[in-house]
């Protein structure tokens, strides 16, 4: 994302947060002023109201606003007593933050390869990865499509493990079986500005219907206090959602079902216009599955870097999620083999995507991809 050098006449940016802002600027600015004048900036009425509204949106009993999505994951682990000596099963293909949060609390992330058909965690391989030290499985709803929750729930029930959702891509995901955040024992959301529900800075939430776990996260996020300046029976840190961010998020949550419809339409438009390009893989859908409200619209191409360069020459900015995959980061250096995850990651191209994108801009991206595809075939 390089907004400073982007010339609006020249093409399509990967992510245009200024355009996203303008979609609801007046309501958001009213919220900013309301909080600024209120004199209450941390853990006040806006956070409380947002927590209730977001829990209800997710179909869960509790939501606890925290400092980021990474913190939300780490606080779930801490609240569940997961730490040194424990193992947590995570997909090999995900954002580095999923792995970092596990390691940050002293536990060991155990990577599981991707199912090639879905691009999501392979539930059978996850079952094979369970060992004596395993405490939890993290299901990542990668790019906005629900992980195989029924299979993973069978697995975690059989072994008495926690099922945790990393729902940082899935604020608008709701596939008939229930919204993201309603499937696991707890879910972590990020409100990083580029996410589907984004703040004007960092933020996150833990969502759970387990009252004890939610209460434990409340204590951990603020000095171990069980009430404001009450006793602290255990330790805690500081990871709180600001009143300003909560007020912004309340406005944007009220528009989220509209955004979901927009994201689905944009995804359908991409799919429709790109379905005939030979070398290009489209985001997977099961037979009869509706277009999810993607967080990223990720296509694959064997000559990823050449295609990205050719698109950029035509003014179309793209990004890569996520290469290298987390187990290959120096911090983890895991020796395991993850061939499906590595194949997908090495071919992944994230196209411009977000509710701010216009149908015309999608057509510009698709025309550029078509030109690149035709040029490649005429060379052969
Ligand atoms: C963004 C993201 C996170 C981390 O969220 P932050 O708010 O940036 O800490 C975790 N998991 C996934 C899959 C993400 O995309």
């Amino acid at each position: 994302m390089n907004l400073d050098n982007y010339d609006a006449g020249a093409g399509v940016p990967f992510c245009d947060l200024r355009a996203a802002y303008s979609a609801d600027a007046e309501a958001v600015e009213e919220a900013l002023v309301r909080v600024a004048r209120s004199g209450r900036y941390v853990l006040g009425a806006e956070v409380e109201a947002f927590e209730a509204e977001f829990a209800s949106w997710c179909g869960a009993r509790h939501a606890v606003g925290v400092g980021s999505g990474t913190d939300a994951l780490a606080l779930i682990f801490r609240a569940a007593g997961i730490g040194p000596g424990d193992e947590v099963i995570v997909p090999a293909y995900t954002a580095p933050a999923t792995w970092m949060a596990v390691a940050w609390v002293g536990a060991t992330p155990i990577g599981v390869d991707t199912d090639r058909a879905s691009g999501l965690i392979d539930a059978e391989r996850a079952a094979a990865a369970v060992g004596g030290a395993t405490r939890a499985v993290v299901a990542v709803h990668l790019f906005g499509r629900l992980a195989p929750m029924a299979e993973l729930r069978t697995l975690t029930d059989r072994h008495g493990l926690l099922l945790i959702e990393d729902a940082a891509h899935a604020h608008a995901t709701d596939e008939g079986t229930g919204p993201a955040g309603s499937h696991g024992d707890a879910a972590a959301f990020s409100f990083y500005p580029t996410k589907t529900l984004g703040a004007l800075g960092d933020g996150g939430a833990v969502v759970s219907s387990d009252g004890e776990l939610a209460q434990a996260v409340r204590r951990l996020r603020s000095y171990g206090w069980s009430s404001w300046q009450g006793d602290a029976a255990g330790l805690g840190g500081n990871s709180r959602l600001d009143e300003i961010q909560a007020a912004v998020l309340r406005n944007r949550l009220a528009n989220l079902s509209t955004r979901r419809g927009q994201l689905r339409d944009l995804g359908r438009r991409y799919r429709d216009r790109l379905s005939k390009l030979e070398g290009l893989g489209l985001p997977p859908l099961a037979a009869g599955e509706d277009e999810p409200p993607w967080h990223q619209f990720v296509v694959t191409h064997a000559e990823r870097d050449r295609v990205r360069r050719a698109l950029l020459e035509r003014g179309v900015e793209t990004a890569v999620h996520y290469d290298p995959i987390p187990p290959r980061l120096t911090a983890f250096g895991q020796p395991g083999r993850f061939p499906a995850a590595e194949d997908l990651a090495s071919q992944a191209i994230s196209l411009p995507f977000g509710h701010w994108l216009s149908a015309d801009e999608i057509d510009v991206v698709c025309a550029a991809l078509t030109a690149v595809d035709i040029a490649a075939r005429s060379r052969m």
Side-chain angles (χ1 to χ4, degrees), residues 68-70 94-95 97-98 140 166 168-169 190 192 195 203 322:
S68 73
T70 309
T94 179
T98 314
V140 181
D166 179 340
H169 295 178
S190 164
Y192 183 76
K195 309 285 184 182
Y322 297 92

Side-chain angles (χ1 to χ4, degrees), residues 78-314:
R78 283 194 200 286
I82 294 173
D86 296 328
E87 293 182 352
V88 175
I89 292 177
V90 289
Y93 188 23
T94 179
T98 314
W99 284 59
M100 287 289 172
V102 175
W104 198 242
V105 302
T108 304
I110 302 295
V112 167
D113 203 6
T114 303
D115 168 44
R116 283 186 192 270
S118 70
L120 298 165
I121 190 170
D122 184 324
E124 276 179 33
R125 285 205 173 83
V130 175
T134 309
R135 295 286 315 280
V137 174
V138 180
V140 181
H141 306 310
L142 195 67
F143 305 137
R145 188 155 178 258
L146 212 63
M149 298 312 290
E151 288 92 329
L152 293 176
R153 176 53 88 187
T154 304
L155 167 66
T156 53
D157 281 354
R158 188 186 316 136
H159 297 281
L161 309 174
L162 277 184
L163 179 55
I164 296 164
E165 299 173 73
D166 179 340
H169 295 178
H171 309 77
T173 299
D174 183 351
E175 293 184 11
T177 51
S182 68
H183 299 268
D185 297 301
F189 285 87
S190 164
F191 305 122
Y192 183 76
T194 61
K195 309 285 184 182
T196 298
L197 179 61
L200 298 180
D202 278 313
V206 171
V207 166
S208 179
S209 288
D210 178 337
E212 264 178 49
L213 188 142
Q215 202 48 44
V217 171
R218 281 182 199 285
R219 289 193 296 267
L220 288 166
R221 77 170 167 183
S222 195
Y223 320 136
W225 282 343
S226 37
S227 62
W228 191 248
Q229 300 193 335
D231 186 29
L235 299 180
N238 177 353
S239 180
R240 302 179 294 226
L241 185 66
D242 288 340
E243 284 286 282
I244 284 212
Q245 302 304 350
V248 169
L249 289 166
R250 289 182 71 196
N251 267 290
R252 293 183 168 177
L253 182 60
N255 294 327
L256 193 52
S257 53
T258 307
R259 300 282 176 254
R260 168 160 56 208
Q262 290 172 308
L263 295 175
R264 285 203 163 121
D265 288 346
L266 294 167
R268 284 190 196 106
R269 192 175 187 92
Y270 263 136
R271 190 176 297 280
D272 182 55
R273 280 163 179 59
L274 298 176
S275 62
K276 297 208 174 53
L277 295 192
E278 277 170 30
L280 200 73
L282 292 175
L285 285 185
E289 183 181 343
D290 201 7
E291 195 76 41
W294 297 108
H295 165 55
Q296 301 292 351
F297 197 87
V298 179
V299 298
T300 52
H301 196 288
E303 294 180 81
R304 190 260 305 282
D305 296 338
R306 187 186 62 76
V307 169
R308 288 191 69 213
R309 267 196 308 277
L311 288 175
L312 195 58
E313 280 162 16
R314 290 169 169 79

